[in-house]
Amino acid sequence: MKNSSIKTVVAVGIGAALFFVLGRFVAIPSGIPNTNISLQYAILGMLAAMYGPVAGGLIGLIGHTLIDLSWGGSPWWSWVIASTFVGIIVGLFAKKLALNEGDFGGKKIALFAIVNVIANVIAWIVIAPSLDVLIYAEPVAKVFSQGVFAAIANSLTAVIVGALLVAAYSKTIAKKGSLDKE
Amino acid sequence: MAANTVLNYLPRKSMVHELTGTTKLAFFLLFTFASMITYDTRVLIGLMVISFAAFRVSHIKLREVRFMLVFMLVFLILNDVFIYLFNPEQGVEIYGTRHVIATLFWRYTITWEQLFYTFNISLKYFVALPIAILFISATNPSEFAASLNKIGVSYRVGYSVSIALRYIPDIQRDYHSISQAQQARGVELGKKEKLLARMKNSVNILLPLILSSLARIDTISNAMELRGFGKKSKRTWYVQRPFSRNDYLVLAFGVLILVLSLVITFWDGNRFYNPFV
Amino acid sequence: MNTPIISFRDFTFQYRAQARPTLYNINLDIYPGEKILIAGPSGSGKSTLASCVNGLIPFSYPGESTGQLFVDGMEAKKESIFQLSKSVGTVLQDPDGQFIGLTVAEDIAFALENDCVPQAEMHTATKRAAALVDVENHLGYAPHELSGGQKQRVSLAGVMVDDVKILLFDEPLANLDPAAGKQTIELIDRIQKETDTTVLIIEHRLEDVLWRSVDRIVLMDEGRIAADLRPDELLSGDLLTRTGIREPLYLTALKYAGVDVTPEKKPAHPETLVLDEKDQELVRSWFHSVQAPPPPAAQAPLLEVRGLNFGYTKDRTTLRDISFSIRKGEMVSIVGRNGAGKSTLSKLICGFETPDSGSVFLDGRDISDDNIRTRARRIGYVMQNPNQMISKTMIFDEVALGLVQSGLKPDEVRARVEDTLKICGLYPFRNWPVSALSFGQKKRVTIASVLALGPEIIILDEPTAGQDFRHYTEIMEFLRDLNAQGVTVLMITHDMHLMLEYTPRALVFSSGSLIADKSAAEVLCDSDLVERAALKETSLFTLATRCGIEPPEQFVQRFIDYDREVREHGC
């Protein structure tokens, strides 16, 4: 359908803008010095689950690239690719999760959480560090430690914040054909 | 201006500014790719010369981009320190020899190889930095979408980028006012709260932000649809400029740089330039 | 007459998610070159009608329709939205949502870009359209550098580039200050005359649209056409009031005075209305017969602002040397054009921003050192858009949020939330999800969530923006009740009716300065002030002058007092 493709274009744009604003300007201290909770991964998980793998991947790609560019450096492609990957993987389960139907029960919450954890673990413990070693020849121990930390932090954010958001969102959706004037 | 401030666009008259966005985007990608692949010191120094020369030609002053420079410098130093802490022998592993200068404590010795490796990795950042700054400071954000489209990216994706740049300031303002209103109700994200509470509190800000953004997605899609977005398989761009001679030259130069740096780097079958053997 | 350009024949439409049709059996013909106002309360189907014409229905909002709709010779449901958009240009309500381009020029050219128009041609067409709406000197501007009125002009240019035959305006006045709204109506009038387009304006603010003539008013009610008349005819009857549309104030005043309003009197405009000597005498004698109510006893000052200065950046001051004081139990409106510093003032009072100099006193105590949260217990702030404030899915939780965060015991929280919900008339809904509420009810929830903390003052940003007369009255009467219970109320507003009817006193801001602090009736009868602050004179002023009543602000005040009596006691 034509309309849904325009909506995807817009959702990617607005999603990337949200990803950017949260990643660039919002710092929630994580408790470990100099590291912050990246709320943008909660939004990425949610939007990917709503709009599918293409939109999810592009939100991660565009949002992360813009953040890196705005700091002034050239994008840290290994991590940009990892963000893209998270969006794609979570997006693959959009149909199964069917958030637009409302009713986000225990089974779906579990699926949402598992998918997000898997996506983040692969992205940050496999993809990002491997590319770091390949491109930048950084020490394996360093990049994997960073990756493990990112995987834990982003999975936690996606599971706790993301699931709460999705649960709240699904409660705001009206059931089909149920609206009537009061 | 809003999109300008997001990416710090500094308009003025210069050879770099006059190049089309497409050229700058393509050159940026070619150059970044070259600097990513190579670890050959001679190539890196060559690339750095080009990169700094381009910066000069752009008439952009250092103080205008000081914020970015400082940020990247801090990042670079931290990264170098982390690399050293995690593996003080990384240089030795790469270059295969071990010339010790001094021993600090435990496994932390300083070797020429480690210093050279750190020098190279820092060089890698410095090579890319001016070109990256130039790309964002000398390219009108309005040209991004058209440029992406021109180098082969679907215009729909290009337009997503444009929408992101357009609405970042609006969303930032929304976030700000939502979080102020929530703070008035005692919803804090700062250190006073425990980590889990902070995360839960963030939902109180994110939910209104997301819901209003979803409503915004609907309005924007309707507005775009009513004005015929997506009806054809192509589209033209108001801001797109025709290629001039310089554009072709710069593009050719970009390709040449990539090819040359690949050739020189891998001539001897090794990505690294090794002065120790 | 020639053939209609838009024609509804027994047209019925039902949204997929709705249990009943939103439009029933519509029969309506609109002819080329006509200018039509489609009025009606919210939920009457007027926006749905518009969406059928421009094709958003059924392409974006699916549903079932029966009967026929012809637009510019095409049967609407057989065409694509793209085809329809070649004939129908739509200017939507939200000025930011439809400004898609990064700059003015790009936004105007958007439709041409999508049509693959070559660049040279596109540049000429864009400049021409920009000149038509007077934005040709702003082509390189970004949206946030423009006022709401300018953004709307850009949107209009963006549909005019396509040489459309029909222009559709969806609530064009909703987001504008009064002066900009007036200019918009003038612009629409001019464009229509210059280009000979057919114009449809969807709006419930009848008096403001009638600033310039329209050919017909189509009045919608409950999904049906309740009237399709010339303005003079419609305004002479009582159909408007019965469907919940506010009739122009000067007409209400005439009716109170016992003047018989007939189509022959040409009641559509206060300036050209025919008033003979007898009518004027009726108005004058009514004016003299109404007694002014005794002024309320003066209370002690509660909130004092002294010498406040503030700028978001060092080189730009947003507020300059602001001083005023608000007494306990007052209801005050803060008015002025967008960007005059009204919202910034409320942010400074609530502690969201820190002033460069000056201080805020509460009950005589300097609260400059109190943080946001401490201030929030005594000064509540309600944002314009309830959707940006509501962060819980259940009403009870939403109202309880501030109390829970302050660490109150659960049973205390419950007691206070229930009290607040009772005050706000939301108690029966306490276990409902927020999403089931109307916009007005959501607004009420946000007010409740602020009230739960027990503030003495509440500041509301545009409490009635985008609300029709019924919802407006509901919200405002609720606020008046709160005020009667002792809560001091400050309101930032663009609504001149609200200011007149509900707030005896108004603070007028213009480019960062407080330029007037007097009664709302006085403000709206002062042409100089009206101009400087981008307000709009009340039609009552025009009426008073035409009947030779001096001073006109006293007439305005009498009308407001009398109208309140009538609405409260229904005499």
Side-chain angles (χ1 to χ4, degrees):
Chain A
M1 211 170 99
K2 271 242 157 73
N3 183 38
S4 70
S5 104
I6 292 189
K7 222 175 201 153
T8 311
V9 169
V10 181
V12 168
I14 296 295
L18 281 165
F19 190 95
F20 179 90
V21 169
L22 295 177
R24 177 69 163 78
F25 300 110
V26 181
I28 299 186
S30 68
I32 299 168
N34 283 325
T35 44
N36 293 318
I37 295 174
S38 308
L39 284 180
Q40 65 268 38
Y41 290 98
I43 299 269
L44 178 62
M46 175 173 180
L47 292 178
M50 285 175 71
Y51 293 97
V54 176
L58 285 170
I59 291 171
L61 175 68
I62 299 171
H64 200 142
T65 307
L66 288 178
I67 291 178
D68 282 4
L69 282 175
S70 81
W71 288 122
S74 96
W76 197 260
W77 293 113
S78 43
W79 290 54
V80 171
I81 291 169
S83 285
T84 312
F85 177 82
V86 172
I88 295 174
I89 295 299
V90 178
L92 285 175
F93 290 83
K95 281 223 176 76
K96 265 238 159 88
L97 289 165
L99 298 187
N100 291 327
E101 283 168 15
D103 162 45
F104 189 60
K107 255 192 182 160
K108 282 189 182 177
I109 294 179
L111 180 62
F112 180 81
I114 291 169
V115 168
N116 268 288
V117 170
I118 291 175
N120 276 297
V121 163
I122 299 178
W124 307 111
I125 303 187
V126 179
I127 294 178
S130 311
L131 289 173
D132 271 345
V133 171
L134 213 65
I135 300 173
Y136 302 99
E138 296 204 346
V140 174
K142 178 208 169 221
V143 291
F144 277 98
S145 315
Q146 279 177 329
V148 168
F149 176 78
I152 294 173
N154 293 346
S155 299
L156 275 179
T157 315
V159 169
I160 298 175
V161 181
L164 283 172
L165 277 177
V166 171
Y169 165 73
S170 66
K171 277 187 207 156
T172 64
I173 297 173
K175 302 263 166 7
K176 273 182 196 162
S178 65
L179 290 178
D180 197 0
K181 268 196 176 173
E182 289 152 31
Chain B
M1 283 289 281
N4 298 2
T5 44
V6 171
L7 294 179
N8 196 33
Y9 171 50
L10 306 164
R12 72 201 44 180
K13 267 191 104 58
S14 89
M15 232 181 76
V16 178
H17 286 77
E18 274 160 21
L19 293 171
T20 65
T22 314
T23 310
K24 276 175 276 197
L25 175 64
F27 186 82
F28 168 71
L29 291 174
L30 290 168
F31 193 91
T32 316
F33 195 55
S35 74
M36 257 164 49
I37 303 233
T38 189
Y39 236 109
D40 189 310
T41 319
R42 297 160 303 181
V43 175
L44 284 172
I45 289 176
L47 289 175
M48 194 164 79
V49 170
I50 296 168
S51 168
F52 277 81
F55 193 82
R56 263 204 90 94
V57 175
S58 74
H59 297 307
I60 287 174
K61 312 250 174 351
L62 273 182
R63 62 177 165 78
E64 290 174 297
V65 295
R66 192 175 50 198
F67 153 77
M68 298 177 174
L69 286 176
V70 170
F71 180 84
M72 287 313 289
L73 207 65
V74 170
F75 180 80
L76 174 67
I77 293 171
L78 274 178
N79 203 47
D80 285 347
V81 169
F82 270 115
I83 289 175
Y84 183 72
L85 289 179
F86 273 97
N87 191 356
E89 301 289 309
Q90 180 77 1
V92 173
E93 282 164 28
I94 288 173
Y95 297 108
T97 53
R98 193 161 192 273
H99 297 85
V100 179
I101 306 171
T103 306
L104 301 176
F105 58 95
W106 186 31
R107 61 175 182 150
Y108 293 105
T109 47
I110 296 179
T111 59
W112 280 114
E113 283 79 2
Q114 183 67 17
L115 281 184
F116 189 65
Y117 163 74
T118 309
F119 169 71
N120 273 285
I121 202 166
S122 308
L123 206 54
K124 243 167 120 77
Y125 286 110
F126 263 103
V127 165
L129 186 61
I131 291 292
I133 292 182
L134 265 195
F135 170 59
I136 53 184
S137 297
T139 311
N140 184 346
S142 295
E143 279 193 69
F144 276 16
S147 307
L148 283 167
N149 187 208
K150 182 94 184 217
I151 65 166
V153 177
S154 140
Y155 77 77
R156 291 161 198 272
V157 176
Y159 217 83
S160 296
V161 175
S162 186
I163 290 176
L165 292 172
R166 158 70 183 88
Y167 287 101
I168 281 171
D170 291 33
I171 288 180
Q172 200 184 337
R173 196 187 49 219
D174 285 357
Y175 178 86
H176 201 61
S177 32
I178 291 172
S179 87
Q180 283 174 338
Q182 296 297 338
Q183 275 179 52
R185 300 160 78 185
V187 173
E188 292 280 349
L189 300 183
K191 295 204 164 148
K192 267 191 267 169
E193 304 283 337
K194 289 205 184 71
L195 182 62
L196 195 66
R198 267 179 242 158
M199 289 176 109
K200 275 191 178 161
N201 281 351
S202 75
V203 176
N204 290 321
I205 296 172
L206 291 184
L207 187 68
L209 185 68
I210 292 239
L211 292 181
S212 51
S213 299
L214 292 178
R216 183 172 259 154
I217 291 174
D218 285 339
T219 318
I220 300 171
S221 331
N222 281 344
M224 285 172 62
E225 187 150 34
L226 283 171
R227 286 156 76 191
F229 184 84
K231 86 173 124 179
K232 296 196 173 163
S233 57
K234 283 192 302 189
R235 93 195 276 279
T236 46
W237 305 85
Y238 182 87
V239 289
Q240 197 161 45
R241 291 177 291 153
F243 265 44
S244 69
R245 194 187 48 133
N246 279 352
D247 286 295
Y248 290 110
L249 287 178
V250 170
L251 275 183
F253 186 52
V255 174
L256 188 73
I257 291 176
L258 180 60
V259 172
L260 268 183
S261 67
L262 287 181
V263 169
I264 299 175
T265 306
F266 293 104
W267 192 253
D268 51 3
N270 190 341
R271 225 180 136 197
F272 300 91
Y273 170 71
N274 195 338
F276 301 101
V277 288
Chain C
M1 225 175 178
N2 46 9
T3 47
I5 190 161
I6 298 171
S7 178
F8 288 91
R9 309 250 171 91
D10 294 321
F11 188 84
T12 297
F13 176 78
Q14 181 174 350
Y15 286 103
R16 193 178 283 167
Q18 299 274 351
R20 283 184 243 166
T22 301
L23 294 176
Y24 294 93
N25 253 337
I26 302 291
N27 280 298
L28 175 67
D29 282 334
I30 294 166
Y31 295 92
E34 272 197 303
K35 187 175 169 198
I36 309 278
L37 165 61
I38 299 177
S42 42
S44 64
K46 60 182 192 303
S47 291
T48 304
L49 193 76
S51 300
C52 291
V53 173
N54 64 24
L56 280 180
I57 287 175
F59 298 100
S60 273
Y61 306 119
E64 285 301 312
S65 66
T66 57
Q68 286 168 309
L69 164 61
F70 292 96
V71 177
D72 193 19
M74 304 174 272
E75 182 162 10
K77 63 178 159 195
K78 291 185 182 150
E79 298 295 334
S80 72
I81 185 165
F82 299 139
Q83 206 54 46
L84 285 169
S85 73
K86 286 270 139 211
S87 296
V88 187
T90 312
V91 176
L92 299 168
Q93 190 180 343
D94 175 357
D96 278 304
Q98 66 187 320
F99 197 126
I100 310 154
L102 286 166
T103 59
V104 170
E106 288 167 80
D107 193 63
I108 297 177
F110 185 76
L112 302 175
E113 293 181 323
N114 295 329
D115 244 344
C116 289
V117 173
Q119 228 183 22
E121 201 181 312
M122 179 149 65
H123 283 209
T124 347
T126 304
K127 284 201 188 94
R128 196 177 51 226
L132 197 62
V133 300
D134 297 328
V135 293
E136 71 270 35
N137 296 324
H138 295 79
L139 284 177
Y141 281 48
H144 83 276
E145 296 173 291
L146 303 175
S147 69
Q150 284 171 320
K151 279 182 215 167
Q152 195 178 55
R153 277 160 192 264
V154 174
S155 303
L156 178 54
V159 300
M160 297 293 301
V161 282
D162 253 352
D163 290 324
V164 288
K165 292 187 189 156
I166 302 163
L167 284 175
L168 189 67
F169 295 88
D170 191 2
E171 309 220 6
L173 303 176
N175 292 293
L176 300 181
D177 61 46
K182 212 164 111 175
Q183 284 158 8
T184 292
I185 294 300
E186 289 165 7
L187 178 72
I188 294 175
D189 196 55
R190 199 190 78 207
I191 299 266
Q192 196 235 357
K193 285 182 180 138
E194 281 175 17
T195 59
D196 206 28
T197 39
T198 308
V199 169
L200 268 68
I201 304 172
I202 318 287
E203 187 55 76
H204 59 84
R205 292 158 70 161
L206 195 76
E207 184 173 347
D208 293 327
V209 176
L210 288 178
W211 173 243
R212 286 289 179 269
S213 300
V214 301
D215 295 312
R216 279 190 285 156
I217 300 176
V218 174
L219 186 64
M220 300 286 300
D221 189 27
E222 308 262 336
R224 295 171 208 273
I225 293 179
D228 176 1
L229 295 167
R230 286 190 305 110
D232 287 337
E233 286 166 19
L234 183 65
L235 291 173
S236 307
D238 63 346
L239 251 175
L240 284 175
T241 338
R242 276 195 285 150
T243 40
I245 294 288
R246 162 158 263 187
E247 71 181 355
L249 290 186
Y250 60 94
L251 290 181
T252 314
L254 285 177
K255 286 177 188 169
Y256 286 156
V259 176
D260 187 23
V261 181
T262 58
E264 291 71 37
K265 286 206 161 77
K266 303 205 181 311
H269 306 286
E271 291 84 7
T272 51
L273 163 79
V274 181
L275 281 179
D276 56 31
E277 192 43 48
K278 203 180 109 230
D279 297 334
Q280 295 187 18
E281 187 45 48
L282 275 170
V283 175
R284 279 194 292 269
S285 58
W286 173 77
F287 167 63
H288 292 298
S289 71
V290 179
Q291 294 299 314
Q299 297 273 349
L302 177 62
L303 177 77
E304 271 180 278
V305 169
R306 290 188 202 158
L308 220 51
N309 281 293
F310 177 75
Y312 285 101
T313 51
K314 272 203 182 107
D315 43 331
R316 233 188 58 215
T317 40
T318 308
L319 285 176
R320 222 168 290 118
D321 196 24
I322 307 296
S323 298
F324 60 86
S325 115
I326 303 286
R327 293 173 183 282
K328 202 171 245 141
E330 272 197 295
M331 202 149 164
V332 177
S333 55
I334 301 174
V335 296
R337 78 175 76 227
N338 281 332
K342 309 181 303 279
S343 297
T344 308
L345 174 70
S346 54
K347 287 185 172 180
L348 288 169
I349 295 175
C350 296
F352 296 165
E353 307 286 348
T354 315
D356 298 333
S357 64
S359 28
V360 179
F361 290 79
L362 196 59
D363 266 339
R365 192 179 69 84
D366 189 344
I367 55 165
S368 300
D369 293 332
D370 293 359
N371 64 11
I372 297 184
R373 202 169 165 177
T374 319
R375 291 191 200 196
R377 295 200 185 104
R378 306 193 57 191
I379 308 171
Y381 176 66
V382 182
M383 296 168 82
Q384 175 177 348
N385 182 353
N387 294 327
Q388 288 200 346
M389 251 188 120
I390 296 178
S391 59
K392 295 283 175 195
T393 45
M394 306 304 286
I395 292 173
F396 185 92
D397 298 339
E398 178 62 26
V399 177
L401 178 63
L403 298 171
V404 173
Q405 292 283 349
S406 68
L408 235 56
K409 284 198 209 90
D411 46 329
E412 280 178 79
V413 171
R414 174 158 291 276
R416 271 178 73 176
V417 171
E418 283 179 356
D419 281 350
T420 314
L421 287 173
K422 277 175 196 154
I423 293 172
C424 299
L426 290 166
Y427 188 72
F429 306 102
R430 64 195 176 284
N431 293 321
W432 277 34
V434 174
S435 54
L437 301 181
S438 72
F439 188 89
Q441 287 169 319
K442 280 186 192 168
K443 187 95 201 174
R444 207 176 266 228
V445 170
T446 59
I447 297 173
S449 69
V450 163
L451 277 179
L453 296 173
E456 293 138 84
I457 305 176
I458 53 174
I459 304 177
L460 300 106
D461 200 345
E462 292 287 0
T464 59
Q467 299 300 296
D468 68 2
F469 187 45
R470 188 168 69 87
H471 292 104
Y472 159 91
T473 311
E474 255 175 48
I475 294 173
M476 289 315 298
E477 288 302 319
F478 166 59
L479 286 173
R480 181 189 275 277
D481 284 347
L482 279 183
N483 182 245
Q485 292 171 42
V487 182
T488 306
V489 181
L490 292 183
M491 281 174 291
I492 297 172
T493 185
H494 281 325
D495 190 326
M496 300 294 98
H497 287 162
L498 184 162
M499 169 181 165
L500 263 184
E501 287 174 324
Y502 289 95
T503 62
R505 178 179 162 205
L507 302 175
V508 186
F509 281 80
S510 174
S511 38
S513 302
L514 178 61
I515 58 168
D517 175 357
K518 49 184 174 183
S519 91
E522 280 171 319
V523 169
L524 290 188
C525 291
D526 181 338
S527 340
D528 176 50
L529 204 56
V530 161
E531 176 144 349
R532 279 169 68 200
L535 308 174
K536 185 170 171 270
E537 252 162 27
T538 163
S539 58
L540 293 167
F541 171 76
T542 318
L543 181 63
T545 327
R546 290 198 57 197
C547 296
I549 295 171
E550 277 298 331
E553 55 266 28
Q554 222 170 70
F555 176 76
V556 175
Q557 195 57 55
R558 292 285 160 83
F559 171 80
I560 297 301
D561 297 338
Y562 187 82
D563 189 49
R564 166 136 293 280
E565 283 286 298
V566 173
R567 286 207 274 154
E568 252 165 34
H569 308 295
C571 58

